[in-house]
Amino acid sequence: MLEEEMMADSQMPTDQGLGKISTLAEEYTELDDEIKDVETHLKLLKERAKNIAEKQLPDAMAEIGVAKFTLTDGSEVTVKPYYSAKISDEKRDECFGWLEDHGHEALIKDEVVLTFNRGEHEKAEEFKAQLQEQGMDYSGKMGVHPQTLTAFVREQVESGAEFPLELFNVYIGQIAKVKRSK
């Protein structure tokens, strides 16, 4: 319908106008294909770099028994432990329970978000004022910040504390960093 209205409101397209549209459409599809190719190539490059940083370099350095190595250009290669952890939705209650049972409930943050409808600005302002009077800041969900969780896991593992690694989906590996000389 929109197309018909546009045609009725304007004159018939010229060959030059149609040619321009065709050329631009072809250029767009070529660019779109090129972008997809570059994104695929970038993904492969990132995978290769990750493999070198997390597997090949740490393994090669472990073979000769070094954790730090200086290259001839002055760049430094270091290998350090790498930690990641995640609280899955399926194990969320169990993870929170473990944290609470072991005195780490302060890691769990509780957010509350309220939505006011259009025209309820005054009501929202009144509510915010009431919360401020009570010394409360509100916003909306319950969770542990990912960086906080990773730091906590690192602390638990490195201190030798008993910690349920599987429950928190913990991955511990090595990662190499190359600091280039200036």
Side-chain angles (χ1 to χ4, degrees), residues 21-165:
I21 291 169
S22 178
T23 301
L24 288 170
E26 285 175 26
E27 183 179 356
Y28 172 79
T29 37
E30 287 171 10
L31 286 170
D32 193 47
D33 289 344
E34 190 175 336
I35 289 167
K36 288 175 184 169
D37 290 344
V38 169
E39 287 173 342
T40 300
H41 184 66
L42 178 61
K43 182 180 177 185
L44 292 172
L45 290 174
K46 285 181 176 184
E47 287 172 6
R48 284 179 48 202
K50 181 178 179 179
N51 180 269
I52 290 171
E54 293 181 10
K55 181 78 176 118
Q56 294 180 32
L57 263 173
D59 287 353
M61 291 177 71
E63 273 182 34
I64 62 169
V66 297
K68 186 176 182 180
F69 186 79
T70 304
L71 303 173
T72 55
D73 70 355
S75 298
E76 289 183 350
V77 182
T78 55
V79 174
K80 295 181 179 179
Y82 169 79
Y83 296 86
S84 73
K86 184 177 190 302
I87 296 174
S88 67
D89 290 339
E90 301 82 42
K91 295 182 180 179
R92 181 182 175 91
D93 291 340
E94 192 177 350
C95 288
F96 288 172
W98 188 93
L99 290 169
E100 290 168 352
D101 292 347
H102 291 83
H104 303 292
E105 60 276 347
L107 295 173
I108 304 168
K109 302 299 178 207
D110 216 347
E111 288 184 23
V112 177
V113 175
L114 295 173
T115 303
F116 290 85
N117 293 322
R118 185 180 220 174
E120 294 183 324
H121 178 71
E122 193 173 306
K123 190 187 287 187
E125 290 301 316
E126 288 174 20
F127 187 72
K128 286 192 260 182
Q130 290 174 0
L131 291 175
Q132 286 175 343
E133 284 174 19
Q134 296 178 27
M136 293 185 220
D137 284 330
Y138 276 99
S139 157
K141 62 184 173 190
M142 189 171 170
V144 179
H145 190 279
Q147 290 177 330
T148 301
L149 180 61
T150 299
F152 173 71
V153 166
R154 177 185 296 116
E155 179 184 294
Q156 296 301 300
V157 170
E158 291 179 357
S159 72
E162 243 182 76
F163 184 77
L165 300 176

